[in-house]
Amino acid sequence: MTATTLRALDGAFFTLPANLIVLGAPGMLTVPIPVYVIEHPEGLIVFDTGVAPEAWDDPRAVYGPLVDVFELTCPPENRIDVQFEKAGLAMEDVTHVILSHSHFDHTGGMYLFPQAKFYMSEEDLRYAFWPDAFCAGFFRHEDIERTRGFDWHPINDDLDLFGDGGIRIMRTPGHTHGELSLLVELPSRKVLLTADAVHVRANMEQRVPCPVDLDTTAAIRSIERIRQVAAAERADVWVMHDPGDWEAFTTPEGCLS
């Protein structure tokens, strides 16, 4: 079976120096932080959960000095619960939550889905609790701690979520040691969601890793894997934080099918 629809819900936005994403890039860049929602006959799946909803009221109280580097804009209408309601979806109907990795702009809404099965790489789940000091600021311990009693399924390999090819979790390490991407098969097309294995198009087109990747050698290999899988599967690549991709893939109907 295939997935039936793929939505990218509007979320917060970061404005940050472009050279934190592409080495040597000039100026500032504003990037989206979407939450993907996938409908499949076997369940309702969320891929990444954005920043914490409480950041909408006071980003600095939630993230402290990070907001001095990653300027956070949170339009009121883009909070995750409001976006679910606008899309006609119920948060309590979510059956599976897949986390690409454990950085704070992907884990903030995890606690909103206590009924779901949770998937993250073994490496990221552990590293979120004991990160190296130089990158500890990218992780928000509270997000992980809130889900300690949830139904966790740490993974250490690629995973076909339902065994039908509709939703395939791909290991694409480099940005973090356990970074994951997602290949979604829809009735009319396939879409490969890069998450932060590729931040913007330039990373992939120039084969240039992000300067804050934990393992740049692994990151380059993962970029090449994404290119090869996309070609073999004839899949469209949706780069999660790329403003151009956001404009290209979002539709008036609000979803791909």
Side-chain angles (χ1 to χ4, degrees):
M1 289 185 287
T2 66
T4 54
T5 62
L6 166 63
R7 287 181 171 85
L9 304 183
D10 279 308
F13 295 86
F14 277 145
T15 300
L16 71 166
N19 63 14
L20 288 180
I21 292 181
V22 181
L23 188 64
M28 303 293 288
L29 183 65
T30 297
V31 302
I33 311 172
V35 172
Y36 295 104
V37 182
I38 304 152
E39 294 178 90
H40 184 282
E42 296 291 333
L44 185 64
I45 300 92
V46 166
F47 183 48
D48 285 340
T49 64
V51 299
E54 53 264 42
W56 260 253
D57 297 321
D58 191 346
R60 184 170 295 277
V62 176
Y63 295 118
L66 268 177
V67 299
D68 293 328
V69 179
F70 301 93
E71 181 184 338
L72 194 58
T73 303
C74 302
E77 68 277 11
N78 286 7
R79 201 176 64 198
I80 188 170
D81 55 332
V82 177
Q83 283 292 301
F84 259 77
E85 184 177 357
K86 285 170 61 177
L89 301 169
M91 299 176 77
E92 59 269 23
D93 290 339
V94 172
T95 57
H96 299 73
V97 176
I98 303 167
L99 284 307
S100 64
H101 63 298
S102 47
H103 282 172
F104 71 96
D105 54 319
H106 299 259
T107 59
M110 294 194 304
Y111 74 96
L112 299 169
F113 308 102
Q115 74 285 350
K117 294 180 179 180
F118 274 71
Y119 297 80
M120 187 189 290
S121 68
E122 287 182 350
E123 296 95 330
D124 263 69
L125 192 54
R126 292 173 181 167
Y127 196 72
F129 282 106
W130 296 286
D132 294 325
F134 74 91
C135 64
F138 289 115
F139 303 87
R140 187 169 184 253
H141 180 82
E142 294 91 331
D143 294 341
I144 308 295
E145 188 61 41
R146 278 171 157 176
T147 68
R148 183 179 286 275
F150 286 13
D151 186 9
W152 276 100
H153 299 263
I155 64 175
N156 57 22
D157 204 347
D158 289 357
L159 179 67
D160 186 341
L161 189 61
F162 299 118
D164 59 8
I167 299 174
R168 285 179 274 172
I169 303 172
M170 295 170 43
R171 287 179 62 85
T172 50
H175 181 60
T176 64
H177 295 308
E179 172 78 33
L180 304 173
S181 299
L182 200 67
L183 181 61
V184 180
E185 182 173 358
L186 298 164
S188 63
R189 67 199 298 185
K190 294 179 182 178
V191 181
L192 201 165
L193 306 173
T194 68
D196 284 8
V198 182
H199 281 75
V200 294
R201 280 274 156 184
N203 297 124
M204 187 170 64
E205 292 170 353
Q206 301 172 24
R207 293 177 173 84
V208 176
C210 172
V212 297
D213 287 342
L214 283 177
D215 185 335
T216 54
T217 299
I220 291 294
R221 289 175 179 157
S222 291
I223 289 172
E224 193 57 40
R225 185 184 189 206
I226 286 169
R227 294 169 62 97
Q228 291 174 359
V229 170
E233 297 282 348
R234 295 179 174 83
D236 297 315
V237 176
W238 189 336
V239 180
M240 187 173 200
H241 291 305
D242 189 276
D245 278 27
W246 180 252
E247 295 296 329
F249 281 95
T250 51
T251 67
E253 297 77 20
C255 63
L256 304 178
S257 59

